[in-house]
Amino acid sequence: MSHTDPQAREAASLALGQAAGFTRRLASRLWALEARLRGAELRGPVVFMGRPILTLAPGSTIIFAGGNEVFSSPRCNAIGNMQPCVLRTLARGARLEFGPGVGMSSTVFGAASSIVVGEGTIFGAGAMVIDTDFHQPAGEFGWEDAAAQNARPITIGRGCFIGARAMVMKGVVLEDRSVVGAGAVVTKRVPSGMMAVGNPARNVPWRGAGSRG
């Protein structure tokens, strides 16, 4: 059995990495173009790693301020992405806006009213942010679509962290530099310097609250 020269292996690995990087950059430009064609507004560079699911209801808005990262491919997150990012407006007049430097992995956003995310906030793999209950009772045992009727805006501040598999529900405000723990289900305001943990989530201080930078 022959042994490949270590320098040759390193050179081959480097060439493969460069080819993969070129392919990812090319694909990112393609998904950015698709986002624009679907009606999203990209005000600066956005990196798309893998193809997201992105749809806009007529008369609604999706805005990326720039410097954003949208990670949808399975390998681009340390714990893996189980699905692509989902970015959807669900009703006329709905708004989904991401400030500068907002990043996400396998994250679901559903805006029937408004979801606005501040600068530098990041979302862990599989987090969900949804401003509506989608349905309401109809008749004795039925359900009807009521996404727009029961929606309440969500505001997420600057420098927040939303952990993997967490859920941020309608009407919630996350103040600047607040945190949502992995798996938490958040239904009320989270003040700056606090962490929402559990289901239903409760607010507790977090040790990084006093840090800067």
Side-chain angles (χ1 to χ4, degrees), residues 65-104:
N68 307 109
E69 294 181 333
V70 182
F71 287 1
S72 296
S73 66
R75 295 178 180 272
C76 63
N77 183 278
I79 63 173
N81 285 331
M82 300 299 291
Q83 65 175 48
C85 290
V86 178
L87 306 103
R88 281 185 164 145
T89 53
L90 305 167
R92 181 173 293 277
R95 184 179 187 86
L96 178 55
E97 182 173 351
F98 303 103
V102 171
M104 64 198 74

mmCIF file of all heavy atoms in Angstrom, residues 65-104:
data_model
loop_
_atom_site.group_PDB
_atom_site.id
_atom_site.type_symbol
_atom_site.label_atom_id
_atom_site.label_comp_id
_atom_site.label_asym_id
_atom_site.label_seq_id
_atom_site.Cartn_x
_atom_site.Cartn_y
_atom_site.Cartn_z
ATOM 1 N N ALA A 65 -30.114 44.450 6.886
ATOM 2 C CA ALA A 65 -29.340 45.692 6.916
ATOM 3 C C ALA A 65 -27.945 45.522 6.333
ATOM 4 O O ALA A 65 -27.336 46.482 5.856
ATOM 5 C CB ALA A 65 -29.236 46.216 8.349
ATOM 6 N N GLY A 66 -27.405 44.298 6.377
ATOM 7 C CA GLY A 66 -26.064 44.035 5.859
ATOM 8 C C GLY A 66 -25.174 43.428 6.920
ATOM 9 O O GLY A 66 -25.399 43.579 8.127
ATOM 10 N N GLY A 67 -24.180 42.694 6.470
ATOM 11 C CA GLY A 67 -23.302 41.990 7.393
ATOM 12 C C GLY A 67 -23.984 40.805 8.055
ATOM 13 O O GLY A 67 -23.529 40.331 9.094
ATOM 14 N N ASN A 68 -25.057 40.327 7.456
ATOM 15 C CA ASN A 68 -25.835 39.226 8.033
ATOM 16 C C ASN A 68 -25.330 37.871 7.547
ATOM 17 O O ASN A 68 -24.782 37.757 6.454
ATOM 18 C CB ASN A 68 -27.309 39.370 7.658
ATOM 19 C CG ASN A 68 -27.869 40.730 8.001
ATOM 20 O OD1 ASN A 68 -28.146 41.526 7.111
ATOM 21 N ND2 ASN A 68 -28.012 41.032 9.280
ATOM 22 N N GLU A 69 -25.539 36.854 8.375
ATOM 23 C CA GLU A 69 -25.185 35.479 8.021
ATOM 24 C C GLU A 69 -26.420 34.603 8.202
ATOM 25 O O GLU A 69 -27.015 34.574 9.286
ATOM 26 C CB GLU A 69 -24.043 34.963 8.892
ATOM 27 C CG GLU A 69 -22.730 35.710 8.659
ATOM 28 C CD GLU A 69 -21.594 35.179 9.509
ATOM 29 O OE1 GLU A 69 -21.873 34.626 10.599
ATOM 30 O OE2 GLU A 69 -20.431 35.307 9.096
ATOM 31 N N VAL A 70 -26.787 33.899 7.140
ATOM 32 C CA VAL A 70 -27.958 33.032 7.141
ATOM 33 C C VAL A 70 -27.472 31.626 6.822
ATOM 34 O O VAL A 70 -27.201 31.295 5.665
ATOM 35 C CB VAL A 70 -28.999 33.514 6.107
ATOM 36 C CG1 VAL A 70 -30.247 32.635 6.147
ATOM 37 C CG2 VAL A 70 -29.374 34.979 6.366
ATOM 38 N N PHE A 71 -27.331 30.803 7.857
ATOM 39 C CA PHE A 71 -26.722 29.485 7.728
ATOM 40 C C PHE A 71 -27.807 28.402 7.683
ATOM 41 O O PHE A 71 -28.503 28.182 8.668
ATOM 42 C CB PHE A 71 -25.777 29.211 8.898
ATOM 43 C CG PHE A 71 -24.487 29.999 8.844
ATOM 44 C CD1 PHE A 71 -24.226 30.896 7.828
ATOM 45 C CD2 PHE A 71 -23.526 29.825 9.827
ATOM 46 C CE1 PHE A 71 -23.042 31.618 7.773
ATOM 47 C CE2 PHE A 71 -22.326 30.539 9.789
ATOM 48 C CZ PHE A 71 -22.089 31.430 8.761
ATOM 49 N N SER A 72 -27.917 27.751 6.525
ATOM 50 C CA SER A 72 -28.952 26.743 6.309
ATOM 51 C C SER A 72 -28.419 25.352 6.026
ATOM 52 O O SER A 72 -29.147 24.376 6.182
ATOM 53 C CB SER A 72 -29.856 27.181 5.138
ATOM 54 O OG SER A 72 -30.554 28.366 5.445
ATOM 55 N N SER A 73 -27.178 25.250 5.585
ATOM 56 C CA SER A 73 -26.654 23.931 5.235
ATOM 57 C C SER A 73 -26.312 23.129 6.494
ATOM 58 O O SER A 73 -25.975 23.700 7.533
ATOM 59 C CB SER A 73 -25.423 24.060 4.336
ATOM 60 O OG SER A 73 -24.354 24.651 5.035
ATOM 61 N N PRO A 74 -26.411 21.805 6.439
ATOM 62 C CA PRO A 74 -26.248 20.971 7.637
ATOM 63 C C PRO A 74 -24.893 21.118 8.319
ATOM 64 O O PRO A 74 -24.796 21.012 9.537
ATOM 65 C CB PRO A 74 -26.446 19.545 7.105
ATOM 66 C CG PRO A 74 -27.250 19.701 5.856
ATOM 67 C CD PRO A 74 -26.805 20.999 5.267
ATOM 68 N N ARG A 75 -23.824 21.401 7.583
ATOM 69 C CA ARG A 75 -22.476 21.370 8.132
ATOM 70 C C ARG A 75 -21.962 22.705 8.652
ATOM 71 O O ARG A 75 -20.862 22.768 9.198
ATOM 72 C CB ARG A 75 -21.496 20.846 7.066
ATOM 73 C CG ARG A 75 -21.743 19.405 6.661
ATOM 74 C CD ARG A 75 -20.765 18.977 5.578
ATOM 75 N NE ARG A 75 -20.989 17.605 5.171
ATOM 76 C CZ ARG A 75 -20.439 16.551 5.746
ATOM 77 N NH1 ARG A 75 -19.610 16.710 6.770
ATOM 78 N NH2 ARG A 75 -20.693 15.335 5.318
ATOM 79 N N CYS A 76 -22.725 23.770 8.496
ATOM 80 C CA CYS A 76 -22.171 25.091 8.808
ATOM 81 C C CYS A 76 -22.483 25.550 10.226
ATOM 82 O O CYS A 76 -22.283 26.716 10.555
ATOM 83 C CB CYS A 76 -22.633 26.129 7.787
ATOM 84 S SG CYS A 76 -24.395 26.400 7.760
ATOM 85 N N ASN A 77 -22.948 24.666 11.085
ATOM 86 C CA ASN A 77 -23.164 24.977 12.495
ATOM 87 C C ASN A 77 -22.542 23.857 13.322
ATOM 88 O O ASN A 77 -22.602 22.683 12.933
ATOM 89 C CB ASN A 77 -24.658 25.100 12.793
ATOM 90 C CG ASN A 77 -24.933 25.492 14.229
ATOM 91 O OD1 ASN A 77 -24.936 24.653 15.129
ATOM 92 N ND2 ASN A 77 -25.165 26.771 14.459
ATOM 93 N N ALA A 78 -21.962 24.210 14.465
ATOM 94 C CA ALA A 78 -21.226 23.225 15.269
ATOM 95 C C ALA A 78 -22.098 22.055 15.712
ATOM 96 O O ALA A 78 -21.605 20.932 15.866
ATOM 97 C CB ALA A 78 -20.624 23.917 16.495
ATOM 98 N N ILE A 79 -23.397 22.298 15.941
ATOM 99 C CA ILE A 79 -24.276 21.193 16.360
ATOM 100 C C ILE A 79 -25.150 20.703 15.210
ATOM 101 O O ILE A 79 -26.035 19.873 15.404
ATOM 102 C CB ILE A 79 -25.149 21.586 17.566
ATOM 103 C CG1 ILE A 79 -26.092 22.739 17.228
ATOM 104 C CG2 ILE A 79 -24.277 21.950 18.753
ATOM 105 C CD1 ILE A 79 -27.084 23.047 18.347
ATOM 106 N N GLY A 80 -24.899 21.198 14.024
ATOM 107 C CA GLY A 80 -25.634 20.757 12.848
ATOM 108 C C GLY A 80 -26.947 21.499 12.677
ATOM 109 O O GLY A 80 -27.562 21.941 13.655
ATOM 110 N N ASN A 81 -27.356 21.656 11.442
ATOM 111 C CA ASN A 81 -28.643 22.270 11.123
ATOM 112 C C ASN A 81 -29.604 21.189 10.642
ATOM 113 O O ASN A 81 -29.333 20.499 9.663
ATOM 114 C CB ASN A 81 -28.477 23.338 10.039
ATOM 115 C CG ASN A 81 -27.841 24.607 10.563
ATOM 116 O OD1 ASN A 81 -27.980 24.942 11.728
ATOM 117 N ND2 ASN A 81 -27.135 25.322 9.699
ATOM 118 N N MET A 82 -30.731 21.072 11.331
ATOM 119 C CA MET A 82 -31.700 20.036 10.982
ATOM 120 C C MET A 82 -32.576 20.447 9.802
ATOM 121 O O MET A 82 -33.222 19.607 9.187
ATOM 122 C CB MET A 82 -32.597 19.733 12.189
ATOM 123 C CG MET A 82 -31.841 19.235 13.409
ATOM 124 S SD MET A 82 -30.960 17.681 13.115
ATOM 125 C CE MET A 82 -32.340 16.562 12.941
ATOM 126 N N GLN A 83 -32.617 21.736 9.489
ATOM 127 C CA GLN A 83 -33.427 22.235 8.383
ATOM 128 C C GLN A 83 -32.842 23.571 7.937
ATOM 129 O O GLN A 83 -32.025 24.165 8.640
ATOM 130 C CB GLN A 83 -34.874 22.448 8.830
ATOM 131 C CG GLN A 83 -35.021 23.538 9.888
ATOM 132 C CD GLN A 83 -36.476 23.810 10.237
ATOM 133 O OE1 GLN A 83 -37.241 22.886 10.480
ATOM 134 N NE2 GLN A 83 -36.855 25.076 10.228
ATOM 135 N N PRO A 84 -33.240 24.059 6.771
ATOM 136 C CA PRO A 84 -32.781 25.392 6.369
ATOM 137 C C PRO A 84 -33.440 26.472 7.212
ATOM 138 O O PRO A 84 -34.456 26.236 7.880
ATOM 139 C CB PRO A 84 -33.226 25.482 4.902
ATOM 140 C CG PRO A 84 -34.309 24.491 4.754
ATOM 141 C CD PRO A 84 -34.055 23.408 5.743
ATOM 142 N N CYS A 85 -32.881 27.675 7.195
ATOM 143 C CA CYS A 85 -33.565 28.822 7.783
ATOM 144 C C CYS A 85 -34.881 29.055 7.038
ATOM 145 O O CYS A 85 -34.958 28.877 5.822
ATOM 146 C CB CYS A 85 -32.699 30.070 7.691
ATOM 147 S SG CYS A 85 -31.249 30.051 8.768
ATOM 148 N N VAL A 86 -35.895 29.447 7.783
ATOM 149 C CA VAL A 86 -37.206 29.760 7.213
ATOM 150 C C VAL A 86 -37.512 31.212 7.552
ATOM 151 O O VAL A 86 -37.583 31.578 8.729
ATOM 152 C CB VAL A 86 -38.305 28.838 7.772
ATOM 153 C CG1 VAL A 86 -39.658 29.221 7.194
ATOM 154 C CG2 VAL A 86 -37.988 27.371 7.490
ATOM 155 N N LEU A 87 -37.669 32.043 6.536
ATOM 156 C CA LEU A 87 -37.946 33.462 6.726
ATOM 157 C C LEU A 87 -39.209 33.795 5.948
ATOM 158 O O LEU A 87 -39.192 33.840 4.708
ATOM 159 C CB LEU A 87 -36.769 34.314 6.240
ATOM 160 C CG LEU A 87 -35.404 33.952 6.856
ATOM 161 C CD1 LEU A 87 -34.574 33.146 5.855
ATOM 162 C CD2 LEU A 87 -34.654 35.191 7.276
ATOM 163 N N ARG A 88 -40.305 34.042 6.692
ATOM 164 C CA ARG A 88 -41.593 34.210 6.021
ATOM 165 C C ARG A 88 -42.384 35.361 6.619
ATOM 166 O O ARG A 88 -42.475 35.494 7.842
ATOM 167 C CB ARG A 88 -42.424 32.933 6.133
ATOM 168 C CG ARG A 88 -42.013 31.854 5.142
ATOM 169 C CD ARG A 88 -42.918 30.663 5.192
ATOM 170 N NE ARG A 88 -42.744 29.841 4.002
ATOM 171 C CZ ARG A 88 -42.833 28.514 3.983
ATOM 172 N NH1 ARG A 88 -43.106 27.860 5.087
ATOM 173 N NH2 ARG A 88 -42.674 27.854 2.863
ATOM 174 N N THR A 89 -42.941 36.186 5.742
ATOM 175 C CA THR A 89 -43.995 37.098 6.145
ATOM 176 C C THR A 89 -45.315 36.449 5.769
ATOM 177 O O THR A 89 -45.434 35.813 4.712
ATOM 178 C CB THR A 89 -43.849 38.464 5.463
ATOM 179 O OG1 THR A 89 -43.755 38.281 4.045
ATOM 180 C CG2 THR A 89 -42.602 39.185 5.966
ATOM 181 N N LEU A 90 -46.311 36.631 6.633
ATOM 182 C CA LEU A 90 -47.521 35.818 6.539
ATOM 183 C C LEU A 90 -48.769 36.614 6.202
ATOM 184 O O LEU A 90 -49.844 36.029 6.034
ATOM 185 C CB LEU A 90 -47.735 35.080 7.866
ATOM 186 C CG LEU A 90 -46.551 34.229 8.331
ATOM 187 C CD1 LEU A 90 -46.742 33.808 9.786
ATOM 188 C CD2 LEU A 90 -46.400 33.003 7.449
ATOM 189 N N ALA A 91 -48.655 37.943 6.115
ATOM 190 C CA ALA A 91 -49.828 38.772 5.851
ATOM 191 C C ALA A 91 -49.399 40.088 5.231
ATOM 192 O O ALA A 91 -48.253 40.519 5.377
ATOM 193 C CB ALA A 91 -50.602 39.019 7.149
ATOM 194 N N ARG A 92 -50.318 40.737 4.539
ATOM 195 C CA ARG A 92 -50.057 42.053 3.971
ATOM 196 C C ARG A 92 -49.664 43.028 5.087
ATOM 197 O O ARG A 92 -50.289 43.055 6.150
ATOM 198 C CB ARG A 92 -51.288 42.569 3.226
ATOM 199 C CG ARG A 92 -51.102 43.930 2.570
ATOM 200 C CD ARG A 92 -52.300 44.300 1.724
ATOM 201 N NE ARG A 92 -52.421 43.410 0.568
ATOM 202 C CZ ARG A 92 -51.761 43.541 -0.577
ATOM 203 N NH1 ARG A 92 -50.895 44.559 -0.713
ATOM 204 N NH2 ARG A 92 -51.930 42.684 -1.564
ATOM 205 N N GLY A 93 -48.636 43.810 4.836
ATOM 206 C CA GLY A 93 -48.172 44.780 5.811
ATOM 207 C C GLY A 93 -47.208 44.231 6.837
ATOM 208 O O GLY A 93 -46.658 44.993 7.640
ATOM 209 N N ALA A 94 -46.966 42.928 6.844
ATOM 210 C CA ALA A 94 -46.036 42.334 7.811
ATOM 211 C C ALA A 94 -44.609 42.777 7.518
ATOM 212 O O ALA A 94 -44.243 43.064 6.370
ATOM 213 C CB ALA A 94 -46.130 40.816 7.774
ATOM 214 N N ARG A 95 -43.781 42.815 8.576
ATOM 215 C CA ARG A 95 -42.407 43.286 8.451
ATOM 216 C C ARG A 95 -41.471 42.347 9.202
ATOM 217 O O ARG A 95 -41.701 42.027 10.363
ATOM 218 C CB ARG A 95 -42.283 44.704 9.017
ATOM 219 C CG ARG A 95 -40.912 45.354 8.856
ATOM 220 C CD ARG A 95 -40.928 46.762 9.423
ATOM 221 N NE ARG A 95 -39.709 47.507 9.160
ATOM 222 C CZ ARG A 95 -39.473 48.199 8.067
ATOM 223 N NH1 ARG A 95 -40.389 48.236 7.099
ATOM 224 N NH2 ARG A 95 -38.339 48.862 7.899
ATOM 225 N N LEU A 96 -40.407 41.937 8.524
ATOM 226 C CA LEU A 96 -39.350 41.119 9.117
ATOM 227 C C LEU A 96 -38.039 41.834 8.814
ATOM 228 O O LEU A 96 -37.641 41.945 7.658
ATOM 229 C CB LEU A 96 -39.374 39.718 8.515
ATOM 230 C CG LEU A 96 -38.325 38.703 8.968
ATOM 231 C CD1 LEU A 96 -38.325 38.537 10.479
ATOM 232 C CD2 LEU A 96 -38.586 37.352 8.294
ATOM 233 N N GLU A 97 -37.383 42.349 9.868
ATOM 234 C CA GLU A 97 -36.211 43.195 9.662
ATOM 235 C C GLU A 97 -35.049 42.739 10.527
ATOM 236 O O GLU A 97 -35.205 42.543 11.735
ATOM 237 C CB GLU A 97 -36.541 44.649 9.980
ATOM 238 C CG GLU A 97 -35.383 45.601 9.743
ATOM 239 C CD GLU A 97 -35.763 47.056 9.894
ATOM 240 O OE1 GLU A 97 -36.973 47.354 10.021
ATOM 241 O OE2 GLU A 97 -34.847 47.906 9.881
ATOM 242 N N PHE A 98 -33.880 42.587 9.900
ATOM 243 C CA PHE A 98 -32.665 42.163 10.581
ATOM 244 C C PHE A 98 -31.648 43.301 10.546
ATOM 245 O O PHE A 98 -31.260 43.762 9.469
ATOM 246 C CB PHE A 98 -32.080 40.922 9.916
ATOM 247 C CG PHE A 98 -33.047 39.760 9.870
ATOM 248 C CD1 PHE A 98 -33.707 39.431 8.698
ATOM 249 C CD2 PHE A 98 -33.309 39.026 11.014
ATOM 250 C CE1 PHE A 98 -34.599 38.376 8.648
ATOM 251 C CE2 PHE A 98 -34.203 37.968 10.979
ATOM 252 C CZ PHE A 98 -34.854 37.642 9.795
ATOM 253 N N GLY A 99 -31.195 43.726 11.727
ATOM 254 C CA GLY A 99 -30.208 44.782 11.817
ATOM 255 C C GLY A 99 -28.830 44.327 11.379
ATOM 256 O O GLY A 99 -28.608 43.141 11.065
ATOM 257 N N PRO A 100 -27.847 45.229 11.384
ATOM 258 C CA PRO A 100 -26.485 44.888 10.957
ATOM 259 C C PRO A 100 -25.900 43.759 11.801
ATOM 260 O O PRO A 100 -26.028 43.747 13.029
ATOM 261 C CB PRO A 100 -25.710 46.193 11.177
ATOM 262 C CG PRO A 100 -26.735 47.271 11.198
ATOM 263 C CD PRO A 100 -27.963 46.654 11.782
ATOM 264 N N GLY A 101 -25.275 42.796 11.132
ATOM 265 C CA GLY A 101 -24.554 41.747 11.827
ATOM 266 C C GLY A 101 -25.408 40.662 12.453
ATOM 267 O O GLY A 101 -24.889 39.801 13.159
ATOM 268 N N VAL A 102 -26.710 40.662 12.210
ATOM 269 C CA VAL A 102 -27.560 39.592 12.756
ATOM 270 C C VAL A 102 -27.230 38.283 12.046
ATOM 271 O O VAL A 102 -27.103 38.238 10.822
ATOM 272 C CB VAL A 102 -29.048 39.944 12.580
ATOM 273 C CG1 VAL A 102 -29.928 38.743 12.936
ATOM 274 C CG2 VAL A 102 -29.426 41.133 13.444
ATOM 275 N N GLY A 103 -27.082 37.210 12.831
ATOM 276 C CA GLY A 103 -26.775 35.901 12.274
ATOM 277 C C GLY A 103 -27.733 34.844 12.771
ATOM 278 O O GLY A 103 -28.293 34.964 13.871
ATOM 279 N N MET A 104 -27.911 33.798 11.973
ATOM 280 C CA MET A 104 -28.869 32.750 12.325
ATOM 281 C C MET A 104 -28.445 31.422 11.718
ATOM 282 O O MET A 104 -27.780 31.380 10.674
ATOM 283 C CB MET A 104 -30.262 33.126 11.817
ATOM 284 C CG MET A 104 -30.358 33.212 10.305
ATOM 285 S SD MET A 104 -31.797 34.135 9.706
ATOM 286 C CE MET A 104 -31.298 35.824 10.062
#
